[in-house]
C-alpha cells in the first residue's frame, strides 16, 4: 500500500518502517571549480568510494548491495518506500553555495577512453528499476584525469519506450567536455560554452533513456571515464557554512519521492564556489514505507 495520510506516516514510524542513514564525503586533494558538477560516489568517506568495477564498455548493474550505495531499508515490497527527509552540512566556507542532488544509479559503462575519435560500442542491456526508461538521465564521470585537449561528446542512445522508433537518438546539442584534474568531475558540467550541468542534454521530446549504443569524441584526449545512468530524486541546496540544511519532503516540499527496491542512492554536487581541497560534506537521508 502507499502512504496516504499523516496517520500512515505515524503508524509506519511507530512500527519501525523507517530508516535514517548518515553519510559523509571528503572532496579530495584538488580544489573544485565554481559552476561545475561532481560525482560524489567516487569520493572517499561513508559509504566507501566507487572503484568503477566491471569490464570496460560493458554495463555494470548497481543496486542497494553495491558497496558505495547509501542504505535505505532494503526491499519492502509489497510496501512502497518514500524519501521522508534529508539534510547536509559542510564546514568549509567555499562549500557554499552549492546544491546536492540525490540520484538512484541504475548502473554505468566503465572504462570508456577519452583518447580516440572512433565510436566506442557499449554492451549490455540495463535491467531497469524504471522499466520504461522514463526519467532516467545520463552523466559522464571522469575516472582518470582528462587532459586539456578540447573535445565534444556524442551519443547514440535508446530513449524511453514511446511505442515508436526509439533507437539511434542523439544529444540535443553540441556538448563540450572540460579538462579537469579532479577524478569524479562530471566533465560536461560547467560554465564554458556548450557545457551542460549536471546531465547530458537529451534529444527533443525525450524524457528518459533505456540504453546507450555508442560514445564518440570529436578529438582525442587523455583519460578515461564512465557513462552513468541514473534517476534524479531530490535536490538539496546548501547556502550557509556550518549550518545543517534540511528538507522535509512532506510539508516543506510535498513530493515523497519513491525509493524503489534495490535503489543505489548516491549524490551529485553542483559547486557554487571554488571548493577547497579536503572539504568535508556530511548529512543524512530518512526513508519510510507502508
Amino acid at each position: 500500500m502507499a502512504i496516504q495520510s499523516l496517520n500512515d506516516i505515524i503508524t509506519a514510524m511507530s512500527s519501525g518502517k523507517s530508516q535514517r542513514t548518515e553519510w559523509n564525503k571528503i572532496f579530495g586533494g584538488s580544489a573544485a571549480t565554481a559552476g561545475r558538477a561532481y560525482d560524489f560516489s567516487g569520493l572517499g568517506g561513508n559509504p566507501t568510494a566507487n572503484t568503477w568495477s566491471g569490464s570496460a564498455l560493458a554495463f555494470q548493474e548497481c543496486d542497494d548491495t553495491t558497496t558505495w550505495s547509501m542504505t535505505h531499508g532494503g526491499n519492502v515490497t509489497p510496501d512502497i518506500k518514500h524519501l521522508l527527509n534529508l539534510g547536509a552540512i559542510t564546514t568549509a566556507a567555499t562549500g557554499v553555495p552549492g546544491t546536492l542532488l540525490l540520484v538512484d544509479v541504475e548502473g554505468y559503462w566503465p572504462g570508456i577512453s577519452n583518447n580516440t575519435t572512433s565510436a566506442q560500442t557499449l554492451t549490455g542491456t540495463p535491467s531497469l528499476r524504471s522499466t520504461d526508461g522514463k526519467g532516467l538521465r545520463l552523466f559522464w564521470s571522469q575516472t582518470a584525469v582528462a587532459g586539456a585537449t578540447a573535445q565534444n561528446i556524442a551519443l547514440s542512445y535508446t530513449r524511453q519506450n514511446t511505442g515508436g522508433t526509439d533507437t539511434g537518438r542523439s544529444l540535443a546539442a553540441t556538448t563540450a567536455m572540460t579538462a579537469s584534474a579532479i577524478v569524479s568531475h562530471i566533465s560536461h558540467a560547467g560554465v564554458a560554452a556548450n557545457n551542460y550541468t549536471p546531465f547530458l542534454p537529451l534529444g527533443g521530446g525525450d524524457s528518459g533513456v533505456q540504453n546507450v549504443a555508442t560514445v564518440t569524441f570529436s578529438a582525442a584526449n587523455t583519460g578515461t571515464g564512465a557513462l552513468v545512468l541514473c534517476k534524479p530524486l531530490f535536490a538539496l541546496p546548501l547556502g550557509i557554512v556550518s549550518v545543517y540544511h534540511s528538507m522535509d519532503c512532506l510539508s516543506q516540499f510535498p513530493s515523497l519521492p519513491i525509493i524503489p527496491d534495490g535503489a543505489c542512492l548516491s549524490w551529485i554536487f553542483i559547486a557554487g564556489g571554488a571548493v577547497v581541497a579536503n572539504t568535508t560534506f556530511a548529512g543524512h537521508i530518512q526513508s519510510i514505507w507502508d
Side-chain angles (χ1 to χ4, degrees):
M1 61 182 296
I3 289 175
Q4 299 179 358
S5 68
L6 285 173
N7 283 340
D8 288 344
I9 291 176
I10 293 169
T11 299
M13 295 190 73
S14 62
S15 60
K17 292 184 174 184
S18 178
Q19 178 171 310
R20 179 183 170 110
T21 297
E22 308 291 332
W23 63 270
N24 64 78
K25 288 288 183 177
I26 309 242
F27 199 82
S30 300
T33 301
R36 295 184 182 178
Y38 300 88
D39 172 16
F40 267 17
S41 79
L43 303 184
N46 178 32
T48 186
N50 183 356
T51 58
W52 303 104
S53 62
S55 301
L57 308 183
F59 189 73
Q60 178 77 16
E61 302 277 358
C62 297
D63 59 25
D64 59 343
T65 66
T66 301
T67 57
W68 46 268
S69 171
M70 288 184 289
T71 60
H72 48 80
N75 295 341
V76 300
T77 301
D79 288 348
I80 298 175
K81 187 188 300 175
H82 299 269
L83 179 66
L84 182 62
N85 58 66
L86 68 170
I89 188 172
T90 180
T91 55
T94 55
V96 294
T99 301
L100 285 164
L101 180 60
L102 182 66
V103 295
D104 174 11
V105 178
E106 295 271 3
Y108 57 85
W109 291 268
I112 305 172
S113 176
N114 292 89
N115 193 23
T116 180
T117 57
S118 299
Q120 298 177 74
T121 299
L122 307 185
T123 62
T125 301
S127 178
L128 304 176
R129 289 181 284 277
S130 299
T131 54
D132 62 357
K134 189 174 182 180
L136 297 185
R137 302 299 302 271
L138 294 162
F139 67 88
W140 172 274
S141 184
Q142 201 68 41
T143 57
V145 172
T149 301
Q151 61 178 184
N152 300 327
I153 185 172
L155 304 179
S156 175
Y157 67 90
T158 302
R159 67 179 174 181
Q160 80 285 358
N161 186 4
T162 64
T165 302
D166 301 321
T167 59
R169 302 293 294 174
S170 301
L171 298 181
T174 299
T175 304
M177 308 287 275
T178 303
S180 176
I182 300 179
V183 171
S184 292
H185 177 209
I186 297 176
S187 302
H188 51 82
V191 296
N194 299 318
N195 280 169
Y196 289 88
T197 303
F199 303 115
L200 290 164
L202 301 182
D206 295 356
S207 64
V209 176
Q210 292 187 72
N211 204 350
V212 181
T214 62
V215 176
T216 307
F217 292 106
S218 62
N221 196 3
T222 57
T224 57
L227 187 65
V228 183
L229 181 63
C230 72
K231 185 168 187 177
L233 296 180
F234 203 88
L236 177 68
L238 302 178
I240 304 173
V241 65
S242 298
V243 173
Y244 199 81
H245 296 69
S246 59
M247 187 72 73
D248 175 0
C249 302
L250 177 67
S251 60
Q252 285 179 285
F253 197 93
S255 55
L256 291 178
I258 291 176
I259 301 174
D261 285 350
C264 178
L265 298 184
S266 188
W267 296 102
I268 290 172
F269 177 65
I270 304 172
V275 184
V276 297
N278 299 313
T279 295
T280 296
F281 293 81
H284 84 279
I285 60 170
Q286 183 163 3
S287 60
I288 191 168
W289 56 92
D290 190 32

